[in-house]
Amino acid sequence: MVALLVGMCPGLDEGLLRSLRAADIRTVEDLVSSDIEDLAQKCSVSYKALFAVRRVLLAQHTAFPVSGADLYEELLSSTAILSTGNPSLDKLLDSGLYTGEITELTGGPGSGKSQVCFGVAVHIAYHLKQSVIYIDTTGGLTAGRLLQMLQTETNNRDEQMEALQRIHTFRLFDVCALLDCLYGLICGRGRGACVGGGSVKALIVDSVSAVIAPLLGGKQNEGMSLMRQVAAALKTMAKDFSVAVLVTNHVTRSGSGEAQPGLGVSWSHVPTTRILLERVESGASGRRSATLIKSSRQACLIKEDFDLQWWSRAEGGRGGGGGGETSGKRKLDETDP
Amino acid sequence: MKRPVSSLSLGSSLKGKLVRAGFQFTTDLQDLNPEHLSAEAGVSQQEALEALQAASSGHGVAPVTALELLQKEEEFRSIVTFCSQLDEALGGGVPVGKVTEICGAPGVGKTQLCLQLAVDVQVPAVFGGLGGQVLFVDTEGGFQVQRLVDLAGAAVRHCSLLAEDEEQRVAMTTFTVETILSNVFLVRCRDYVELLAELHLLADFLSNRPRLRLLVIDSVAFPFLRLHDDLSQRTRLLQGLGLRLIAAATGHNIAVVTTNHMTTRLHSSQAQLAPALGDVWGHAPSIRLLLRWEESRRLASIVKSPGHMDASVQYQITYQGFRDADQSERPPSKRPRSQTDQSASSRKNTGT
């Protein structure tokens, strides 16, 4: 609903505006959807003038169609694929996180969602040398763990510090603060990292369900609307600024005990790709299995096993080989060359 | 990109009136004064002022780079548990600024560990502790002052044996059983309403007591077990509770420790013990410790942590409190927490 204001188009002057207000026409929608003849009589304005104003307003507020070829060209030039750093996950995601899309990781507690987010942030900050924005709503962000992951990539302290400086973190614990933060990034008036600057290529929100789930259900009616606002803000960031968005979600158990992603059916349309992480019961402590449950590019329900220790592997060794170690991660670092 | 008015943190009826009057984006509200807006939208002067303030402010906080976060984390010490193997697995002890959950079957030692942490947080800084106070929220009635006196006495004896230089001896004069007891604030909550009310008042309590470094809730499961007939309300209350605890932990730099019961979960015709309150609560704590029996040994396992590997260590509970297994005969020299040792362990943390 766009308000009618003076000067919006030639012919819409103060006098016309006042007579339209008197006839209870306040917005462009009201004007366009009402009967012009009737309105001209009620407001004692000429039919032609009103018709001209209506035509200009329609032209100003219509969406333009774009040809498929132009859209394809634009997509080719603006989309980038960011590898997650773990080859098994990349295989599931069709070689990585696509900019302009929202990818969701879902799983129960302790299934490794935050670890994958850390690994992705470290990989993008160090190997791809791009800025990453990390919004943490669970309190689980540990900079020491990010440093551990960086230490397996390089021994050079300056490079580690430089990579850490490319990860910008926000710690928020309610949905209004999250919306403020997202819109602050979009409009570029927030101090610090601005998405429009071009260097930010990834936005990670861990987790989006922690702030939205308490608002759904019961007698509260604002929850769905706020969820849609968050979805709209994330989609705008992804599409308009060519950013890859990675969010995490919790799981709920359906009647038969199966794990389903949380936040319901309304949220399920928001991410383009969804991966379910689960613990592997037998096997070493770091093993997890990832299942693709929604994708527009690959066949669904592909399953891949991977090791959380991939991001803290010793140099030159595969993560699978390190799965047998149950000693602390810090001990693993000390034996690095 | 313009920000829609419906995403501002205002009352829903006010937002509805603004949208119906045609103000869809915050840019529409920018150059108006309150009288004009209240006339246009049919709202009161007060509400118009509120709407204009919300539209012009609210760009969120500034981001913190991961490097600054790392420096802040290195400043904070962890709370030792006096079981050196568990402390090593946890990278120094129970971390400050995070929510840790201790789950286990009845009688395995959850309340004992909570009492031990309530004493350990008060160890003076010269000995490597935090010198902080503790708020103990007891919902089950398991808090026993006599036991706390025993643990406090053992800790004081341990530290007085370690005191070497003048500074430490001076610190020992303020670290006595009486002062330990006076730094523990006990609250008894009988049902979930009292627990939620106590947490509502937590922010004020914390701002009046800047030395508070530990919040123990023993247990968080007990008051909610009675809500089994309205599970959706229980879920919402637990999620809100979890968020509030995490916000308190990070905002005021305290360690939050909660205890949880175990429940049986049927999984493909096999009965397994799993922490109670479901997956919904499972997402709230950052670190989860599982205490369990294995034949006659007691084991503590880390089952969820953002920064540590899954590990299992053995512990035991003696007259002196929570200790390493088969350590009761050795002289108390296992944790000489002098200053040089603390800097060595912090260097180890950064991996250089």
Side-chain angles (χ1 to χ4, degrees), chain A residues 1 107 115 138 140 143-145 151 161 164 167 169-170 173 180 183 186 191 213 220 229 250 253 279 329, chain B residues 1 3-4 6-7 22 24 61 63-67 73 98 236 239 246 250 279 282-283 303 306 309 348 350:
Chain A
M1 306 243 248
Q115 292 296 305
T138 57
R145 178 70 185 124
Q151 279 161 351
M161 297 299 124
L164 281 181
I167 304 178
T169 67
F170 290 88
F173 304 107
D180 283 344
Y183 279 108
I186 294 175
R191 296 153 283 166
Q220 303 162 104
Q229 303 283 346
H250 67 281
R253 302 270 156 193
R279 288 193 135 165
K329 282 183 176 133
Chain B
M1 160 79 187
R3 181 172 180 179
S6 40
S7 71
Q24 203 188 359
V61 293
V64 175
T65 64
L67 187 60
E73 273 178 25
K98 292 212 164 18
R236 274 195 308 281
Q239 280 166 336
I246 298 172
T250 45
D279 282 342
H283 287 96
V303 294
M309 278 275 280
K348 213 169 141 194
T350 58

Side-chain angles (χ1 to χ4, degrees), chain B residues 186-207:
Chain B
L186 175 68
V187 176
R188 283 222 154 93
C189 293
R190 278 163 297 200
D191 57 18
Y192 72 93
V193 177
E194 287 188 21
L195 179 61
L196 291 172
E198 184 59 39
L199 291 174
H200 261 286
L201 301 171
L202 187 64
D204 282 337
F205 190 87
L206 289 175
S207 44

Side-chain angles (χ1 to χ4, degrees), chain A residues 86-89 91-92 278-280 282 286-291 302-308 318:
Chain A
N86 184 319
S88 321
L89 274 183
K91 217 191 306 183
L92 271 191
E278 279 163 326
R279 288 193 135 165
V280 172
S282 56
R287 294 210 76 84
R288 300 288 185 271
S289 84
T291 316
I302 312 178
K303 207 162 172 165
E304 281 280 333
D305 278 353
F306 70 102
D307 201 316
L308 282 182
R318 261 230 62 193

Side-chain angles (χ1 to χ4, degrees), chain B residues 86-272:
Chain B
L86 185 58
D87 288 336
E88 211 178 296
L90 284 173
V94 171
V96 163
K98 292 212 164 18
V99 179
T100 308
E101 181 177 83
I102 305 172
C103 28
V108 75
K110 305 185 293 291
T111 308
Q112 296 297 309
L113 180 53
C114 292
L115 290 173
Q116 184 70 59
L117 290 171
V119 170
D120 294 345
V121 73
Q122 301 185 42
V123 168
V126 290
F127 289 102
L130 281 90
Q133 298 171 325
V134 51
L135 174 64
F136 200 106
V137 178
D138 182 24
T139 60
E140 293 182 323
F143 183 86
Q144 288 170 329
V145 183
Q146 286 80 12
R147 186 64 182 140
L148 188 62
V149 169
D150 293 341
L151 268 70
V156 168
R157 274 194 304 277
H158 177 97
C159 286
S160 54
L161 283 171
L162 291 178
E164 289 162 350
D165 56 25
E166 190 53 42
E167 215 183 335
Q168 289 176 339
R169 270 188 277 273
V170 166
M172 279 313 294
T173 54
T174 55
F175 188 57
T176 63
V177 175
E178 284 79 25
T179 52
I180 292 178
L181 290 179
S182 66
N183 281 330
V184 176
F185 301 105
L186 175 68
V187 176
R188 283 222 154 93
C189 293
R190 278 163 297 200
D191 57 18
Y192 72 93
V193 177
E194 287 188 21
L195 179 61
L196 291 172
E198 184 59 39
L199 291 174
H200 261 286
L201 301 171
L202 187 64
D204 282 337
F205 190 87
L206 289 175
S207 44
N208 286 336
R209 282 171 186 75
R211 271 183 63 205
L212 204 125
R213 284 280 161 270
L214 175 64
L215 166 66
V216 179
I217 303 185
D218 179 27
S219 67
V220 77
F222 189 71
F224 286 98
L225 290 178
R226 261 182 277 167
L227 276 177
H228 51 262
D229 44 355
D230 191 356
L231 282 179
S232 61
Q233 190 200 17
R234 192 179 91 166
T235 308
R236 274 195 308 281
L237 290 174
L238 281 174
Q239 280 166 336
L241 176 67
L243 264 185
R244 193 159 283 147
L245 288 177
I246 298 172
T250 45
H252 296 267
N253 287 315
I254 59 173
V256 178
V257 174
T258 64
T259 55
N260 200 359
H261 296 171
M262 301 294 274
T263 181
T264 313
R265 186 176 277 187
L266 293 169
H267 182 69
S268 59
S269 77
Q270 258 186 340
Q272 270 180 348

